[in-house]
Amino acid sequence: MSQYFFAVSPPEPLSSKIDALRERWGHPHHRVQPHITVKAPFQWHEQPEAFLAPVRAACAAAAPFDIRLSGTGRFGEARVLFLTVDGEGLKPLHLAVISALEGLLPADARSHEGEGYSPHLTLAVARFGIDAAGMAEMEQAAQAELAELPAFAVTALR
């Protein structure tokens, strides 16, 4: 059985800039390409085309849109540090993908999908070994170094 998810990746040089910041703290997320999850990970045991076809159709119906990675935020009692996402297109795209997969995948309440979806780009997660002081330092660095990132067009999912 394979695991899949759908995401938007920031273009270069934004991606490398985010990677460089995460790598300074030795956080495992620096080994994962920076991305904004659109559909949370799921397991699939059949041919991927069975779920790719309806997702492709949903994406074909969506017009490209711009987003911007802006300030920092925290989830889960400050245990997850992330960059916020400004722009109106991600939530409708997320809902279209979820709708396209309805009936193919079981609902997963832990995945914060549907109306609970909050687009973000994860910088660090405490359970991977970054302590509160390191998280605070990383947040300050992100606010200084990633504050003026340019907007970019979303034209595809990965």
Side-chain angles (χ1 to χ4, degrees):
M1 189 171 310
S2 297
Q3 191 164 11
Y4 299 91
F5 74 103
F6 291 102
V8 168
S9 296
E12 289 297 341
L14 303 181
S15 187
S16 290
K17 199 170 187 174
I18 294 163
D19 268 341
L21 180 122
R22 294 192 302 187
E23 190 171 7
R24 288 201 318 256
W25 277 265
H27 193 272
H29 265 79
H30 82 275
R31 288 180 243 141
V32 176
Q33 180 182 21
H35 66 275
I36 302 156
T37 300
V38 174
K39 166 62 183 111
F42 60 94
Q43 293 193 348
W44 189 259
H45 60 288
E46 298 172 31
Q47 291 295 320
E49 192 56 38
F51 70 79
L52 287 174
V55 171
R56 284 186 181 119
C59 290
F65 55 90
D66 289 344
I67 60 173
R68 177 184 304 276
L69 298 168
S70 55
T72 59
R74 304 262 190 129
F75 287 136
E77 297 176 21
R79 299 187 53 81
V80 176
L81 173 63
F82 60 87
L83 290 176
T84 59
V85 179
D86 293 334
E88 300 299 317
L90 275 174
K91 190 155 192 173
L93 179 61
H94 164 77
L95 293 172
V97 169
I98 297 305
S99 179
L101 294 171
E102 195 170 322
L104 292 174
L105 302 176
D108 183 355
R110 298 169 297 155
S111 63
H112 305 287
E113 293 182 341
E115 292 304 317
Y117 174 69
S118 180
H120 64 280
L121 189 147
T122 301
L123 294 174
V125 180
R127 76 171 186 253
F128 295 128
I130 189 167
D131 62 15
M135 187 91 71
E137 289 172 17
M138 185 185 232
E139 184 169 21
Q140 285 182 325
Q143 289 170 347
E145 298 169 31
L146 306 176
E148 299 297 323
L149 296 176
F152 62 93
V154 173
T155 60
L157 285 184
R158 296 179 55 112

